[in-house]
Amino acid sequence: MFNLILFGPPGSGKGTQSQRIIEKYGLIHLSTGDLLRTEISLQTSLGIMARNFMDQGLLVPDEVVIAMIASRIDENPRALGFIFDGFPRTCAQAIALDDLLNRKHGEISLVLSLVVPEPELIRRLLHRGATSMRADDASENLVRARILEYHDKTAPVADHYARLGKFRTIRGDGSVEETFLLLCTEIDSLL
Ligand code: ADP
C-alpha cells in the first residue's frame, strides 16, 4: 500500500493536486473537508454540529474526524493506497491515523507539504470565496482564522512525520502543472 498525506495550509492546493494524483496513481482520495461538507449538505446531526466549528474557521473535534476517516478506510479494504487531504490536522489525529493504518498492516509512506507564501494563500482563498459557494472562504477574517488554526494546531504535525523521516516540502507557488510535476518526482522516487 502507498499512503500519502498531502499537507499544507488552507489554499495551498491540496484538493487540486489530490485530484491529479488519484488519476495518475489510482489512490483513493480522503478529504475530511469534502466529507464534512457532504454531511452538512445532507443535514445530518454530524454535519450540523461540524458546521458550527467550520463557520468560525475552527477545527472540528478530533473524535469526529477520526471516526469519519476510520469508516472510510474500512469501506475500502482492497485500496492500493490512500491520499489524505486535510487530515491529520492535529497531533492526536496523526497518532490515531498511524494506529488505524497499523491495524491494516499499513503505514504512511510519505508526507508532501505544499509551501505557499501567506499573501498568496489569502489571495487564492478570497478568489475561491468570490467564485464558489464555500462560506468559509467568503471573508478575510475567516480565512485568517483558519490560517491561525493551521499555525497553532496543524503545523506541529510536521514534526511527527519529520521524526519518522517521511516529511518533504514542495514549492506550491508555481503553476498547477509545475507543482504536480514536483509532487510526482517525490512519489516516483518511492515507488
Ligand atoms: P481548507 O484546506 O481550505 O481549510 P478544508 O476543506 O480542508 O479546507 O477544511 C474546511 C474546514 O473543515 C476546516 O476549516 C475545518 O473546520 C474542517 N476540517 C477539515 N478537516 C479537518 C480535520 N482533519 N480536523 C478538524 N477539522 C477539519
Side-chain angles (χ1 to χ4, degrees):
M1 266 184 121
F2 184 80
N3 295 307
L4 175 72
I5 295 174
L6 214 48
F7 194 78
S12 57
K14 303 184 294 294
T16 306
Q17 296 297 337
S18 292
Q19 282 309 323
R20 300 187 154 226
I21 293 169
I22 55 168
E23 281 164 26
K24 177 159 179 183
Y25 296 97
L27 304 176
I28 290 186
H29 182 206
L30 295 183
S31 156
T32 39
D34 288 349
L35 294 170
L36 289 166
R37 280 185 289 277
T38 301
E39 296 285 338
I40 290 175
S41 67
L42 297 173
Q43 296 187 307
T44 63
S45 52
L46 190 157
I48 291 164
M49 182 277 291
R51 188 178 182 162
N52 282 326
F53 293 92
M54 293 166 76
D55 281 353
Q56 297 175 69
L58 300 174
L59 294 184
V60 172
D62 285 336
E63 54 277 18
V64 175
V65 284
I66 290 168
M68 229 168 46
I69 286 287
S71 66
R72 293 310 141 119
I73 292 176
D74 285 345
E75 282 167 13
N76 290 284
R78 273 178 283 280
L80 293 175
F82 296 96
I83 169 161
F84 298 96
D85 159 9
F87 182 90
R89 260 180 154 101
T90 65
C91 293
Q93 292 178 21
I95 291 165
L97 178 60
D98 289 346
D99 185 48
L100 285 170
L101 293 173
N102 282 341
R103 280 190 234 160
K104 313 263 171 215
H105 310 290
E107 61 177 355
I108 289 298
S109 314
L110 183 63
V111 181
L112 294 176
S113 175
L114 292 168
V115 180
V116 177
E118 195 160 306
E120 172 68 5
L121 293 175
I122 292 171
R123 196 191 63 74
R124 288 183 186 179
L125 290 166
L126 292 178
H127 176 73
R128 188 167 74 184
T131 53
S132 79
M133 299 295 285
R134 284 266 314 245
D136 59 347
D137 289 334
S139 89
E140 185 159 344
N141 281 349
L142 215 47
V143 162
R144 287 190 184 279
R146 274 156 55 217
I147 293 175
L148 278 180
E149 278 282 82
Y150 174 81
H151 287 305
D152 189 27
K153 302 197 175 116
T154 307
V157 173
D159 295 336
H160 174 82
Y161 293 106
R163 275 195 296 274
L164 299 169
K166 295 178 172 176
F167 189 82
R168 312 264 187 283
T169 55
I170 300 287
R171 280 192 70 149
D173 57 351
S175 69
V176 170
E177 198 53 38
E178 282 164 351
T179 306
F180 180 57
L181 290 176
L182 294 173
L183 291 167
C184 291
T185 303
E186 288 291 343
I187 295 169
D188 292 342
S189 74
L190 280 196
L191 289 179

